[in-house]
Amino acid sequence: MADKGNQKSTKTPSTNSKLSGKRPKSSTSIVSNKASGKQKPGSGKKVDSTSNVESAVPPEDIFPLVLTGATQELFQCRADEDVTQENPFKILRKEEILQDMKTRAAVSDFHPVKQLVLNYPGEELLLVFDRDFSYGQSFYLAGTEEAKERILQVQEPTDADVVEEESLLEMPVYKTPEPHPWVSLGSEVEIEEESVKDSKKRLRYRASRIRREFGAQVQFTDRNASASKDGYIECPPYQDKSFCIKQLERDTGTQAIPDLWDSSTQTQWKFPKNTWTQYVPREFTEEEKENCMYSENLRNFITSVALRFEIAVQQNEIMDVFFDDWKALGEEESTFGGKADTHLKEYQSFTDLHFSKQKSISYINWHPTINGVIAVAVTERLCFEDRINLSTKLLLSPSLILFWSFSDPINPQLLLECPDDIYCFEFCPSDPNIIVGGCINGQVVLWDISAYREWVQSSRTGGGGKQTPANANSLHGFEEKQENETPIVRYCAVSAIENGHKAPITDVQWLPDSYEISRAGVPLENKDGVCVQIVTCAPDCSVLFWDIRPPRVAAHSMTDRKQKPEERPLDNPHGVPSTFKHLDLTWKPLIKVAFSKIETSGEYSPLKFSRRDGIHDNKMCNIVDKSLQNLEKNEGGVNYGMLRVPSAKHLKTLDDVSTQIFVGTEDGELIYTDWKMEKDNDSGKMISSKPSHRFVAHDGPVHTVKRSPFFNDIILSVGGWTFAIWKEGVMSGPILQSSCSKKRCTVGHWSLSRPGVFFIGKEDGNIEVWDLLEKTHEPSQTQNITTASITCIKPWIVSSKQHFLAVSDELGTLHILEIPWTLRRPSSNEKSSMSSYFEREVSHLEYFVKRREFRAKEKKDMEAAEQRKKMQEPIIPEKSSEQIEEEVQKGYENYLELEKKILKEMGLLPEEEEKLPDV
């Protein structure tokens, strides 16, 4: 009967229940047996009343699986929702599983059964939800078609099984036995006898070291062990009997007494004494003053201390009386041996499986006024041909700029919708709610996030009750659903494609609010006091200047429209602010600056540029304060639609503003030019001036042209396999240039707190930290951050004790690194030391240029002297064949005479041969 019951319990439902997914009634009996702590005879499972059911060994064609919540959501097999105990079956398509393993690789939950899925003959696999953990996991997969049919084709239970299950259900429930009091049987005495106790006071050893040896460098050398006395210590594998002392007798005594401790306290007694305060000054009389001034003692005193007083005054002028010597001394001691705090530490990382999946981060920017908020631009990792082939697919997934907050590293706080992939974007210095970006198709885009400022700020403070902005168009009845969704902000204005760049925009910058430029490129005073002009560059051989104010022609047309009441503007269905409505699809550049080649025809292709009056990162605190003041003054922002482009005749020309810029090109060149337009003598039109200097310093495209935040005339350029440091005004070449590295340099940035430190990103995911005060021929340290190429680096100062370095890679991950104390704390007089270092390098460069010119002149003089010498030598006529033959014959005769003479002196020539006539 046991065998029969076992056979019946393993039967499955009939074929009719294949599609319905119903479980047989026998499964209910199995569950009830588990709950009661008993099992059916011959069921093959071990059940204990005080432990859980042990999982059975699965058959060869059954494979248990662990599916995470994401996988269950992807394949619609969520436990107790899509699949239940009554309907545990789920049919999965083979191609969907293969696509999941191809997309997520080893992260896929089906990766352990990869070979099974590849070898499966059918197109559909059976996944079963195992709520009872029969095989140890919550799901199992049928590995063959036979197992699939066996599981699905289950027979209905017989009447005997039903009667047996009902009888098992009526069995009494097992009760836990009640605990009894513990009865001692003498085991505590044995435990006390076997316990080990200290008989003597433990010895304490103290190891010390000379202070001057702390942190000293250890040098290992080879030497003979037998050469020194203590060079060899033997460690035998057996016990040394000479050091074994056997204790024969010991006399000890103990006495238990309470610890005694005497203490007392009393205030210190002070004798009372009378004190007073004088509040009326006592002064000499006029007669006493006159006697004192002309007294001999005063003259002698002044004569004796005059020299010392003069020396003290000179020292006050030479030395800084407010310099803290203790602070400087502590700084030197802290750097001694403090090598642990030198590496960049991972503080936080941001990535999104939906928006940044299979994308790379092209540019990053910290929010100027909200700490802990950073924006990143994500782009597709496609070449030009793939982008064209997949253009229809790319239209379905819009390009975005993601706003991340330290308080929520999983979900982005804000999304900026872009017409195409963004390679660069910048916050407006005078109004951080205004953002400008450059697209890959050459368009310039503007956003206004004024309505979402509180949203982003509340996410930074960690407030749980976020509210959607008032101007977000939410349908009635769907407010709760949209409350937790990330808001998407559409761009306010975009330039027309025919008026923009013909290549991807690689750099964009705001002109400061202190000036603006005219159509001729002349700097003029800015009466509005806000940033209203933008500079962009692209590899289409041009740099464009844009003005975000409505032009004067557009202003007249707008007034004409206002006079017509019947023409009303259409309602905005997308909720886009009308801040830059006057520019949308009609925006044109103010100036176009082209870069013609100096020696040959053609033009340079700019990628990055740097202005002398650019807004540096070390001035960001002033910018933040100024932007906040502008926001308060203008009650939340600037009405750019009401601004107008003034006439250049009524504005003052600023002569102290530099119009010279450094530009890095696609061919690794660095050019120095002026953006001012000059008048052509032939046509009379305004054209761009040619660059004044050109340097070939890099063996690849220039990715970075950054000015030092401490020295406005020091520029860092990164491109190809090298980087270089330039000084504006020194046109002989770079004052410092690195050697070719093993990996390509992708980006670089100066430190915001130390003048001699800068960071270089590599294509292998490493970051090189260069400290010019420590080393100039190699980086002070190299640290690996990621496995992919680094695309952007941006440092940021949160406080004096916390500096961050944002690093992005091609895999779409944003790494936030905390800069250690040694890399953010400048040493004493570091700025002056770096200034003197740059001056020395300039003098070395000038000396090198002079020596090169001297050597070139010397070589030229030597070649001219050799040429003159050749011209002064007499012309020797050529000899005839008869003359040459006579000279050869004469030389032979001379040789014979010399031979005969030598033989005669040595006595080797016979006398008869001596008398013979000469031949």
Side-chain angles (χ1 to χ4, degrees):
M1 292 299 291
D3 297 337
K4 184 177 180 181
N6 186 17
Q7 294 175 3
K8 291 179 180 179
S9 63
T10 57
K11 290 182 180 180
T12 54
S14 61
T15 312
N16 297 332
S17 62
K18 179 177 181 182
L19 298 177
S20 63
K22 296 182 179 179
R23 298 177 63 90
K25 295 181 179 180
S26 59
S27 62
T28 310
S29 65
I30 295 174
V31 176
S32 64
N33 292 335
K34 292 179 181 180
S36 62
K38 297 184 179 181
Q39 63 173 350
K40 292 177 64 177
S43 62
K45 297 183 181 180
K46 298 179 182 180
V47 182
D48 187 59
S49 60
T50 59
S51 62
N52 296 330
V53 181
E54 296 182 2
S55 60
V57 178
E60 295 181 355
D61 51 1
I62 298 299
F63 298 88
L65 287 177
V66 177
L67 300 183
T68 61
T71 305
Q72 295 179 18
E73 185 77 20
L74 182 63
F75 288 90
Q76 296 181 358
C77 57
R78 294 171 295 181
D80 295 329
E81 293 184 17
D82 299 326
V83 289
T84 59
Q85 187 174 1
E86 291 75 20
N87 187 11
F89 305 113
K90 182 66 179 181
I91 300 298
L92 303 180
R93 299 188 63 184
K94 180 179 178 180
E95 58 182 10
E96 294 179 356
I97 300 177
L98 294 177
Q99 181 64 26
D100 181 73
M101 289 189 291
K102 182 179 179 181
T103 303
R104 298 195 293 176
V107 184
S108 176
D109 296 335
F110 294 98
H111 187 267
V113 294
K114 179 179 180 181
Q115 194 63 33
L116 166 68
V117 177
L118 293 175
N119 299 334
Y120 193 83
E123 294 297 324
E124 295 180 346
L125 287 85
L126 178 63
L127 180 69
V128 182
F129 172 58
D130 191 5
R131 184 182 180 85
D132 302 325
F133 291 82
S134 301
Y135 300 122
Q137 303 296 342
S138 59
F139 291 87
Y140 62 87
L141 192 68
T144 60
E145 290 287 337
E146 292 78 10
K148 176 181 176 181
E149 296 296 327
R150 185 175 69 250
I151 296 173
L152 293 176
Q153 295 177 2
V154 182
Q155 298 181 2
E156 294 292 334
T158 62
D159 298 334
D161 293 336
V162 175
V163 172
E164 184 178 0
E165 292 168 3
E166 292 177 354
S167 63
L168 291 174
L169 288 173
E170 295 174 358
M171 295 178 65
V173 180
Y174 176 78
K175 295 184 179 180
T176 305
E178 297 180 358
H180 298 283
W182 179 74
V183 179
S184 175
L185 299 178
S187 59
E188 66 275 5
V189 179
E190 297 177 0
I191 295 174
E192 183 69 23
E193 291 176 354
E194 295 295 333
S195 61
V196 180
K197 298 181 180 180
D198 294 336
S199 59
K200 294 192 302 182
K201 189 177 181 180
R202 295 185 179 182
L203 300 178
R204 295 184 179 180
Y205 294 91
R206 177 181 178 184
S208 61
R209 195 177 185 183
I210 302 175
R211 181 174 180 82
R212 63 172 176 270
E213 296 181 0
F214 286 173
Q217 186 176 3
V218 180
Q219 296 182 357
F220 298 93
T221 57
D222 297 333
R223 63 182 178 87
N224 191 1
S226 60
S228 59
K229 181 179 179 181
D230 300 330
Y232 175 74
I233 299 176
E234 185 179 4
C235 299
Y238 53 89
Q239 186 178 3
D240 192 356
K241 295 182 179 180
S242 60
F243 293 94
C244 182
I245 301 175
K246 189 175 182 180
Q247 185 176 0
L248 299 179
E249 186 178 356
R250 183 180 179 184
D251 185 9
T252 60
T254 58
Q255 182 180 4
I257 61 171
D259 295 337
L260 298 180
W261 180 47
D262 294 337
S263 62
S264 61
T265 178
Q266 184 66 35
T267 57
Q268 186 179 0
W269 171 256
K270 293 183 179 180
F271 293 96
K273 58 180 179 180
N274 298 326
T275 59
W276 59 89
T277 302
Q278 179 184 357
Y279 58 91
V280 177
R282 293 184 300 176
E283 295 183 356
F284 291 142
T285 61
E286 293 296 333
E287 184 179 358
E288 291 176 345
K289 291 179 181 179
E290 187 176 356
N291 295 334
C292 183
M293 291 297 295
Y294 293 100
S295 64
E296 191 69 22
N297 294 334
L298 181 61
R299 292 180 182 179
N300 296 335
F301 172 74
I302 294 175
T303 305
S304 61
V305 301
L307 182 59
R308 286 184 292 171
F309 183 77
E310 183 179 358
I311 295 174
V313 172
Q314 291 177 357
Q315 289 178 351
N316 291 340
E317 292 293 332
I318 296 173
M319 300 177 62
D320 186 7
V321 295
F322 300 102
F323 182 73
D324 192 355
D325 294 329
W326 287 104
K327 187 176 181 181
L329 182 62
E331 176 184 345
E332 295 176 0
E333 290 181 353
S334 61
T335 57
F336 182 79
K339 299 179 181 179
D341 191 19
T342 58
H343 295 279
L344 302 171
K345 300 177 182 178
E346 183 84 16
Y347 184 82
Q348 207 166 17
S349 62
F350 300 95
T351 185
D352 190 88
L353 298 178
H354 179 66
F355 300 112
S356 60
K357 184 179 180 181
Q358 296 181 352
K359 294 184 179 182
S360 65
I361 297 178
S362 59
Y363 204 77
I364 56 181
N365 244 328
W366 295 88
H367 197 284
T369 57
I370 304 176
N371 284 332
V373 175
I374 186 171
V376 298
V378 292
T379 58
E380 296 285 346
R381 296 198 301 266
L382 299 174
C383 61
F384 182 72
E385 296 180 357
D386 296 340
R387 189 176 290 273
I388 294 176
N389 297 333
L390 301 175
S391 58
T392 55
K393 183 179 179 181
L394 296 177
L395 293 175
L396 301 177
S397 59
S399 302
L400 298 170
I401 295 179
L402 283 64
F403 278 70
W404 291 101
S405 175
F406 283 6
S407 60
D408 188 1
I410 300 177
N411 303 312
Q413 305 303 317
L414 194 65
L415 301 176
L416 301 187
E417 184 180 352
C418 314
D420 209 335
D421 286 350
I422 295 292
Y423 276 178
C424 54
F425 66 94
E426 290 291 339
F427 290 90
C428 180
S430 57
D431 188 358
N433 296 323
I434 305 300
I435 304 173
V436 63
C439 295
I440 193 174
N441 59 1
Q443 290 180 298
V444 184
V445 194
L446 286 171
W447 291 272
D448 185 4
I449 59 172
S450 303
Y452 298 87
R453 177 180 174 83
E454 295 182 359
W455 172 276
V456 177
Q457 204 160 12
S458 64
S459 67
R460 176 65 190 95
T461 56
K466 288 186 185 179
Q467 298 295 332
T468 308
N471 63 345
N473 293 336
S474 58
L475 299 177
H476 180 68
F478 293 88
E479 290 79 1
E480 294 184 359
K481 183 178 180 181
Q482 293 183 356
E483 185 174 349
N484 296 326
E485 291 182 357
T486 303
I488 301 178
V489 183
R490 186 177 173 86
Y491 49 87
C492 297
V494 61
S495 64
I497 296 180
E498 62 273 9
N499 297 329
H501 289 278
K502 304 301 183 290
I505 299 177
T506 55
D507 199 2
V508 58
Q509 294 181 17
W510 289 86
L511 286 181
D513 54 3
S514 58
Y515 71 92
E516 59 181 273
I517 63 171
S518 63
R519 293 188 175 273
V522 180
L524 304 174
E525 62 175 344
N526 186 357
K527 293 185 177 180
D528 296 327
V530 293
C531 298
V532 292
Q533 291 182 344
I534 304 166
V535 191
T536 60
C537 79
D540 58 351
C541 310
S542 64
V543 169
L544 301 182
F545 288 79
W546 307 78
D547 200 313
I548 63 176
R549 295 171 296 185
R552 290 191 296 272
V553 178
H556 293 300
S557 61
M558 290 175 65
T559 54
D560 295 339
R561 291 178 184 177
K562 291 180 180 180
Q563 293 176 359
K564 298 178 180 180
E566 65 275 2
E567 295 182 2
R568 295 181 179 179
L570 297 176
D571 295 335
N572 191 358
H574 300 287
V576 180
S578 59
T579 310
F580 301 103
K581 191 175 181 180
H582 55 276
L583 299 176
D584 194 17
L585 298 177
T586 60
W587 199 9
K588 295 182 180 180
L590 184 68
I591 306 176
K592 179 179 179 181
V593 180
F595 302 104
S596 303
K597 292 192 175 182
I598 300 175
E599 299 175 354
T600 60
S601 60
E603 295 178 337
Y604 298 105
S605 301
L607 290 179
K608 299 289 181 179
F609 65 93
S610 175
R611 299 175 291 107
R612 185 176 180 85
D613 56 349
I615 300 172
H616 301 294
D617 294 326
N618 67 327
K619 304 175 183 176
M620 192 57 68
C621 296
N622 298 331
I623 295 170
V624 170
D625 297 338
K626 192 171 183 180
S627 61
L628 291 175
Q629 292 175 4
N630 290 336
L631 289 176
E632 294 176 358
K633 181 178 65 176
N634 298 288
E635 297 181 356
V638 181
N639 190 357
Y640 292 94
M642 299 301 294
L643 300 178
R644 294 293 180 267
V645 179
S647 176
K649 299 179 181 179
H650 305 291
L651 298 178
K652 180 182 177 182
T653 304
L654 303 178
D655 298 330
D656 56 344
V657 176
S658 175
T659 57
Q660 303 287 338
I661 57 173
F662 277 93
V663 180
T665 66
E666 273 187 323
D667 302 325
E669 302 165 319
L670 193 71
I671 59 176
Y672 188 67
T673 184
D674 194 340
W675 74 55
K676 280 185 180 180
M677 311 294 287
E678 56 184 17
K679 193 172 185 179
D680 189 11
N681 296 328
D682 299 333
S683 61
K685 297 181 179 180
M686 302 298 291
I687 60 174
S688 304
S689 58
K690 282 192 174 184
S692 57
H693 295 84
R694 165 186 167 271
F695 310 97
V696 181
H698 303 287
D699 46 7
V702 179
H703 302 292
T704 300
V705 181
K706 287 283 185 182
R707 290 183 182 266
S708 171
F710 298 92
F711 306 99
N712 207 8
D713 57 347
I714 299 297
I715 299 96
L716 171 66
S717 63
V718 179
W721 282 264
T722 60
F723 69 87
I725 296 179
W726 311 77
K727 184 177 177 62
E728 190 170 7
V730 179
M731 297 305 167
S732 305
I735 60 177
L736 178 64
Q737 187 172 8
S738 68
S739 58
C740 291
S741 59
K742 296 180 180 179
K743 297 295 181 179
R744 193 191 305 267
C745 302
T746 56
V747 68
H749 206 288
W750 290 96
S751 171
L752 302 184
S753 56
R754 290 195 56 187
V757 175
F758 57 90
F759 308 95
I760 300 295
K762 296 299 191 72
E763 64 176 352
D764 57 351
N766 291 341
I767 284 185
E768 292 182 352
V769 181
W770 287 77
D771 190 351
L772 298 181
L773 288 181
E774 182 179 353
K775 300 176 183 178
T776 57
H777 64 286
E778 63 179 2
S780 59
Q781 68 181 52
T782 302
Q783 187 172 345
N784 182 263
I785 304 301
T786 177
T787 57
S789 175
I790 293 177
T791 57
C792 193
I793 295 177
K794 273 295 178 67
W796 187 256
I797 299 177
V798 179
S799 63
S800 60
K801 296 182 179 180
Q802 196 170 36
H803 294 196
F804 288 134
L805 183 69
V807 180
S808 61
D809 58 14
E810 284 190 346
L811 298 180
T813 304
L814 176 64
H815 305 269
I816 305 298
L817 308 175
E818 189 171 3
I819 301 177
W821 186 87
T822 55
L823 295 180
R824 70 171 184 261
R825 172 71 175 178
S827 59
S828 58
N829 301 325
E830 181 172 348
K831 186 174 181 180
S832 59
S833 301
M834 288 305 304
S835 178
S836 59
Y837 168 74
F838 291 141
E839 294 297 332
R840 289 196 304 270
E841 290 300 322
V842 170
S843 61
H844 292 167
L845 180 62
E846 293 176 354
Y847 173 77
F848 173 75
V849 172
K850 290 180 180 179
R851 293 298 298 175
R852 185 172 55 187
E853 294 176 354
F854 175 76
R855 292 300 181 187
K857 183 179 179 182
E858 186 179 19
K859 183 179 179 180
K860 187 176 180 180
D861 295 341
M862 291 175 63
E863 291 177 355
E866 290 179 0
Q867 189 70 21
R868 287 195 302 270
K869 186 176 181 181
K870 290 180 181 180
M871 296 294 294
Q872 293 177 0
E873 290 181 354
I875 300 175
I876 301 175
E878 295 183 358
K879 297 179 180 179
S880 61
S881 58
E882 292 82 3
Q883 293 176 349
I884 294 174
E885 187 175 355
E886 288 180 2
E887 290 180 358
V888 172
Q889 183 65 27
K890 188 175 180 180
Y892 181 68
E893 290 176 357
N894 294 335
Y895 169 73
L896 291 177
E897 282 186 20
L898 181 60
E899 183 183 12
K900 185 177 180 180
K901 183 179 179 181
I902 294 173
L903 292 175
K904 186 176 180 180
E905 291 178 354
M906 297 177 63
L908 299 177
L909 188 64
E911 295 181 359
E912 52 272 11
E913 287 189 10
E914 294 180 4
K915 296 179 182 179
L916 292 176
D918 297 334
V919 178

